[in-house]
Amino acid sequence: MIIVKIGGNILDNPERLQSFLSDFAQLPGPKLLVHGGGKIASAFGQRLGITPKMVEGRRITDAETLELVTMVYGGLVNKQVVAKLQALGCNAIGLTGADGNIMPATKRPVKTVDYGFVGDVAGPESINVTALEAIVEARLTPVFAPLTHDTQGNMLNTNADTIASVLATALAPKYKVQLVYCFEKKGVLQNAEDDTSVISHIHTEKYKTLKEEGVVNAGMIPKLDNAFAALQQGVAQVLICEAEALTSINTAHYSGTTISLN
């Protein structure tokens, strides 16, 4: 089972998205796609007069913004991706965490910041694996929008990296799961300004050092935290690479970052 998370900068670029989806459609065996879409939501919001509110790179999801992201993530972006995959011969089905009660979550409690309608997933034990397996066994390819629900009738905005990690750990007892984070960079970089400075392998101790040195910071930290959490809970392998590297992940030509516990 290959679980791929695709970043917003690829979704924003029609040519790169088409190329990525063509590669994804050709992956053998069962697969699952998780997408973001934050930049598209922000741009769409501006057209509607909704200004994005961000704290430390995280979106504040008030009631108005929740309506926006539900429309954009669960509707516009998700269905466009599904339609493009259908055109490529990949029988995809668009889902949120509310569909089939696959991924219930809880509204993030207010501490120093009130993030609004943002969902935190308890962990792999909260995933409705039976429903998800039924979809996969029917030879459908799930395409998840970054949305969950609180089981009380409310949708919740949820980090796409986290969704990919939790789905991977939930499916790990049934499948040998390979979790791939695809984005616009070639991998985790030693120098953010140098696209060729890819760190080929990061294990637990090296990750600690990279954080202490400030090499890994900001948005890369939650991505790597999710990667290590997935490995600790039975996921076979985690890779972080550019979208164009997807077809090379199981070859000697793979040039992104491989994450491992040791």
Side-chain angles (χ1 to χ4, degrees):
M1 162 78 75
I2 298 177
I3 295 178
V4 182
K5 187 267 175 171
I6 186 68
N9 287 329
I10 305 300
L11 292 164
D12 293 341
N13 185 315
E15 291 77 22
R16 289 188 81 178
L17 177 61
Q18 189 64 38
S19 174
F20 164 79
L21 292 176
S22 179
D23 292 342
F24 177 81
Q26 293 172 49
L27 291 175
K31 52 186 176 279
L32 189 154
L33 182 63
V34 180
H35 66 77
K39 287 191 173 181
I40 298 170
S42 296
F44 212 89
Q46 298 283 15
R47 287 160 60 183
L48 297 172
I50 302 170
T51 304
K53 305 175 188 74
M54 311 290 281
V55 174
E56 297 174 353
R58 295 180 183 270
R59 187 183 299 271
I60 303 295
T61 309
D62 57 19
E64 190 177 45
T65 303
L66 180 65
E67 290 183 344
L68 171 69
V69 297
T70 301
M71 285 192 297
V72 174
Y73 299 163
L76 181 68
V77 176
N78 189 265
K79 298 315 170 195
Q80 283 182 339
V81 168
V82 169
K84 289 179 188 302
L85 285 173
Q86 295 293 0
L88 292 163
C90 177
N91 194 6
I93 181 169
L95 298 167
T96 71
D99 297 297
N101 193 31
I102 287 174
M103 188 177 292
T106 54
K107 185 172 178 287
R108 184 170 297 168
V110 179
K111 293 179 182 173
T112 52
V113 178
D114 183 356
Y115 286 101
F117 292 96
V118 167
D120 291 323
V121 184
E125 68 283 352
S126 64
I127 302 300
N128 185 347
V129 176
T130 304
L132 191 52
E133 278 184 9
I135 292 166
V136 173
E137 298 293 335
R139 300 198 171 180
L140 291 166
T141 296
V143 177
F144 274 92
L147 296 163
T148 56
H149 76 127
D150 67 358
T151 73
Q152 306 298 312
N154 302 297
M155 296 299 291
L156 295 169
N157 187 7
T158 302
N159 181 275
D161 288 345
T162 302
I163 286 178
S165 175
V166 174
L167 287 171
T169 55
L171 289 164
K174 170 85 175 182
Y175 302 92
K176 183 182 179 183
V177 176
Q178 192 175 35
L179 174 59
V180 186
Y181 288 108
C182 284
F183 67 150
E184 74 281 4
K185 301 289 186 183
K186 294 183 182 298
V188 181
L189 303 178
Q190 183 74 38
N191 176 0
E193 305 303 314
D194 180 3
D195 280 352
T196 65
S197 64
V198 177
I199 304 169
S200 60
H201 181 212
I202 299 175
H203 51 70
T204 309
E205 287 304 311
K206 185 163 187 175
Y207 180 39
K208 205 177 294 181
T209 304
L210 290 170
K211 279 197 290 188
E212 286 168 1
E213 293 173 349
V215 172
V216 170
N217 52 47
M220 189 53 72
I221 289 177
K223 197 182 293 289
L224 285 166
D225 285 347
N226 282 315
F228 281 104
L231 289 167
Q232 286 160 359
Q233 295 178 79
V235 172
Q237 187 182 52
V238 182
L239 306 174
I240 298 177
C241 59
E242 65 178 342
E244 288 76 6
L246 188 60
T247 54
S248 72
I249 57 173
N250 291 315
T251 73
H253 303 294
Y254 173 70
S255 57
T257 302
T258 301
I259 312 297
S260 68
L261 295 178
N262 47 49

